[in-house]
């Protein structure tokens, strides 16, 4: 079990990519499309970790499903740290422990190929407050980059988070207050960088 990736919701991929490049020297690459109407870009870290920029692809499709609508609602307040994923090797066991069903996921790459995975989610109103679990198909090509997620900071109930994650040691810092993702730290060859919501805003 490990922190797999962090999702940053963005209104404009080009603008968000430019800010992350200027402020943190992080390079974003166009990704693909999801059936829920969202598009994504990625910032490749050392395998298997990455940052995912998630935004609007087909707004009409997004409004037709709970996940897409959640992303649209999040974007009303601008770019932000939205959610994070935990990579696991036995997602069936995670689903059984939590009493949740497996949700298949996929995206279409620019070359037309399809990447697939399976998720375990909390209720949609808790998306972002609690992490989701992910296991990729065996043919996944992990992103090739540099830097590792050294810790994340979250708000909310520590005991609730631990109950959801299970008896696993992950680099989580708890800040109390309202639930949600507050910060992600990335250890780069040049030193650690910390991304908070205020760092994602314009200006």
């Amino acid at each position: 079990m490990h922190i797999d990736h962090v999702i940053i919701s963005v209104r404009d991929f080009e603008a968000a990519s430019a800010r992350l490049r200027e402020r943190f020297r992080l390079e974003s690459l166009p990704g693909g499309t999801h059936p829920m109407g969202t598009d994504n870009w990625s910032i490749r870290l050392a395998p298997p970790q990455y940052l995912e920029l998630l935004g609007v692809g087909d707004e009409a499709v997004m409004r037709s499903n709970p996940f897409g609508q959640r992303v649209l609602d999040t974007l009303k307040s601008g770019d932000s740290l939205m959610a994070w994923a935990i990579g696991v090797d036995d997602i069936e066991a995670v689903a059984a422990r939590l009493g949740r069903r497996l949700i298949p996921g996929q995206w279409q790459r620019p070359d037309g190929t399809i990447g697939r995975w399976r998720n375990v989610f909390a209720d949609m109103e808790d998306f972002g407050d609690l992490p989701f679990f992910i296991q990729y198909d065996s043919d996944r090509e992990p992103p090739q980059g540099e830097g590792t997620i050294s810790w994340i900071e979250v708000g909310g109930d520590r005991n609730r988070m631990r109950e959801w994650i299970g008896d696993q040691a992950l680099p989580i810092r708890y800040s109390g207050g309202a639930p949600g993702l507050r910060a992600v730290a990335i250890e780069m060859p040049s030193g650690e960088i910390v991304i908070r919501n205020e760092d994602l805003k314009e200006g």
Side-chain angles (χ1 to χ4, degrees), residues 10-181:
V10 301
R11 290 177 171 176
D12 183 298
F13 287 107
E14 295 281 358
S17 177
R19 284 194 293 273
L20 288 165
R21 184 186 311 111
E22 293 167 2
R23 296 172 185 178
F24 300 105
R25 297 184 181 178
L26 294 173
E27 292 293 337
S28 309
L29 297 173
T33 62
H34 303 112
M36 304 86 68
T38 50
D39 283 357
N40 77 348
W41 287 30
S42 65
I43 297 172
R44 299 175 176 182
L45 304 176
Q49 295 180 325
Y50 63 101
L51 304 181
E52 179 180 18
L53 309 187
L54 189 70
V56 177
D58 188 323
E59 185 172 344
V61 173
M62 291 175 70
R63 293 193 181 282
S64 72
N65 67 86
F67 180 81
Q69 187 60 57
R70 177 77 179 204
V71 176
L72 290 171
D73 290 343
T74 300
L75 288 173
K76 290 176 181 178
S77 59
D79 295 3
S80 65
L81 297 167
M82 183 178 183
W84 55 291
I86 296 175
V88 297
D89 296 324
D90 188 351
I91 200 159
E92 289 88 355
V94 173
R97 176 178 66 83
L98 295 172
R100 298 277 171 168
R101 64 190 182 96
L102 292 174
I103 307 295
Q106 71 175 49
W107 68 297
Q108 183 171 324
R109 303 180 181 94
D111 64 4
T113 61
I114 302 294
R116 293 185 172 87
W117 57 85
R118 289 169 293 163
N119 294 121
V120 172
F121 290 105
D123 294 333
M124 190 50 59
E125 58 264 28
D126 291 322
F127 185 79
D129 297 346
L130 295 172
F132 62 98
F133 300 89
I134 189 166
Q135 183 174 358
Y136 298 91
D137 286 353
S138 58
D139 61 352
R140 178 202 180 207
E141 295 181 6
Q144 299 293 325
E146 60 181 14
T148 58
I149 297 174
S150 50
W151 52 267
I152 62 168
E153 180 184 321
V154 299
D157 188 322
R158 182 187 305 230
N159 291 329
R160 183 181 184 224
M161 181 70 71
R162 287 177 172 173
E163 182 179 351
W164 175 253
I165 293 174
D167 187 20
Q168 300 289 333
L170 292 173
I172 304 172
R173 299 183 180 184
Y174 296 91
S175 59
L181 183 58

